[in-house]
Amino acid sequence: MTRPMPDMDRLSEALHSALPRTESAAIIHGDYRINNTIVDERQPDSIRAVVDWELSTLGEPLTDIALMCVYRPAPLNAILGFQAAWTSTRLPSADALAQQYAVKSGSDLSGWPFCLALANFKLAVIAEGIAHRARLGAASPNGEAAGAAVPELVAAGLRALARTDGSISSASWSTKFSAVSA
């Protein structure tokens, strides 16, 4: 732990307690987002390749979809220190992406709240690592902003776990970071 974060501890414990029994397993990317794809130059709605597989593992495929959707809101821009392509309003909403996945894969979204909470936790840990390295003196122009995004990510994870209806709304993000994505 890099600093006291009771809500991060609470989210970690809640995730452990809520761990669902999964019926499916597949090779998952572990960092799936538009920045890790090669898009066809002439057909931008066509992905030609998925790259950057060092975080791949076996697991629940819905976790890749959830992480992809957590990369959508403005706190990602704060963590990266620049406007990410993945936060573009020209792309389908997170809700639409999850629904498309469910329809095309034949999967249900009953594990969605857990996967969304886990994805928020994962990005919060990454952001805290960036902030911690910046506090230690590593060159990181976005270290402070990344650290500021951590509580918002953790709160979004806790809100996701609190949902029992399996809804996929990403509206739980605050507008606190909207200036970063403008």
Side-chain angles (χ1 to χ4, degrees):
M1 184 75 61
T2 60
R3 58 185 167 149
M5 292 184 283
D7 283 344
M8 178 78 92
D9 294 337
R10 209 171 105 220
L11 178 55
S12 176
E13 291 166 9
L15 284 165
H16 187 266
S17 296
L19 189 63
R21 185 177 186 284
T22 184
E23 298 295 323
S24 59
I27 296 172
I28 59 172
H29 186 271
D31 193 19
Y32 189 73
R33 54 194 161 113
I34 201 167
N35 309 60
N36 286 333
T37 64
I38 297 175
V39 178
D40 188 291
E41 184 177 344
R42 289 183 210 99
Q43 295 177 320
D45 61 340
S46 180
I47 303 295
R48 292 296 176 199
V50 178
V51 297
D52 202 12
W53 284 86
E54 76 272 3
L55 296 177
S56 65
T57 190
L58 294 177
E60 167 59 53
L62 193 55
T63 60
D64 261 353
I65 305 307
L67 185 60
M68 177 179 69
C69 290
V70 166
Y71 277 130
R72 297 296 308 274
L76 176 63
N77 293 337
I79 293 166
L80 295 174
F82 59 87
Q83 187 166 352
W86 193 229
T87 60
S88 170
T89 57
R90 296 184 305 165
L91 296 170
S93 71
D95 295 356
L97 290 170
Q99 289 293 349
Q100 286 175 2
Y101 170 78
V103 168
K104 290 184 183 227
S105 68
S107 300
D108 71 68
L109 295 175
S110 62
W112 182 251
F114 176 84
C115 291
L116 195 57
L118 180 63
N120 276 284
F121 180 79
K122 182 176 180 178
L123 192 52
V125 169
I126 291 168
E128 182 59 22
I130 292 167
H132 179 68
R133 287 187 298 278
R135 284 191 297 272
L136 293 177
S140 178
N142 58 321
E144 188 175 325
V150 172
E152 185 65 27
L153 291 162
V154 170
L158 288 167
R159 285 190 302 271
L161 276 182
R163 291 197 312 234
T164 58
D165 63 356
S167 64
I168 59 172
S169 174
S170 58
S172 59
W173 284 98
S174 80
T175 56
K176 178 178 174 180
F177 295 98
S178 60
V180 178
S181 62

